[in-house]
Amino acid sequence: MNELVKKIGLDKLAHLGIGGLICAMMTTVLIFQDGVMEWKSLLYSVPGLLAVFGISVFKEYFIDEKPEWADVWYAMTGCALWIGAAAAGIGLYVVSH
């Protein structure tokens, strides 16, 4: 893990984790709120994606001294990882029913 942190950087890994967390929380709330367990449930990740993108761009351009698009990319990758996990879960649900 230390090598990964040295190679990528703690800041980028934090963006990855926090971006994924925000996306996961928003998507989960929306899926459970409607109780929809089918492929269209993945559309519920769109608000999370947009929120993470907006928060990341805002942070980079209005809070940080030097904006880095790589930070935004890592945050969005965190969202993509969550969407992949949600797709796997929905796929298992669809196959088992």
Side-chain angles (χ1 to χ4, degrees):
M1 192 66 174
N2 289 337
E3 291 299 317
L4 181 65
V5 171
K6 286 179 187 175
K7 187 174 186 177
I8 296 175
L10 187 57
D11 179 59
K12 302 294 185 268
L13 292 174
H15 281 275
L16 180 81
I18 293 170
L21 177 64
I22 292 169
C23 193
M25 290 181 350
M26 290 185 71
T27 303
T28 302
V29 167
L30 292 171
I31 287 174
F32 287 157
Q33 182 262 330
D34 276 352
V36 178
M37 285 303 295
E38 51 191 50
W39 290 110
K40 70 179 180 178
S41 297
L42 293 177
L43 293 175
Y44 290 113
S45 62
V46 172
L49 282 166
L50 295 175
V52 169
F53 183 76
I55 291 167
S56 296
V57 170
F58 178 83
K59 179 195 167 289
E60 291 302 315
Y61 282 93
F62 295 105
I63 297 174
D64 291 354
E65 289 182 20
K66 180 183 174 199
E68 292 184 57
W69 275 101
D71 289 349
V72 176
W73 185 87
Y74 272 90
M76 298 305 292
T77 301
C79 284
L81 292 172
W82 161 250
I83 294 168
I90 292 167
L92 290 171
Y93 178 82
V94 168
V95 168
S96 69
H97 285 87

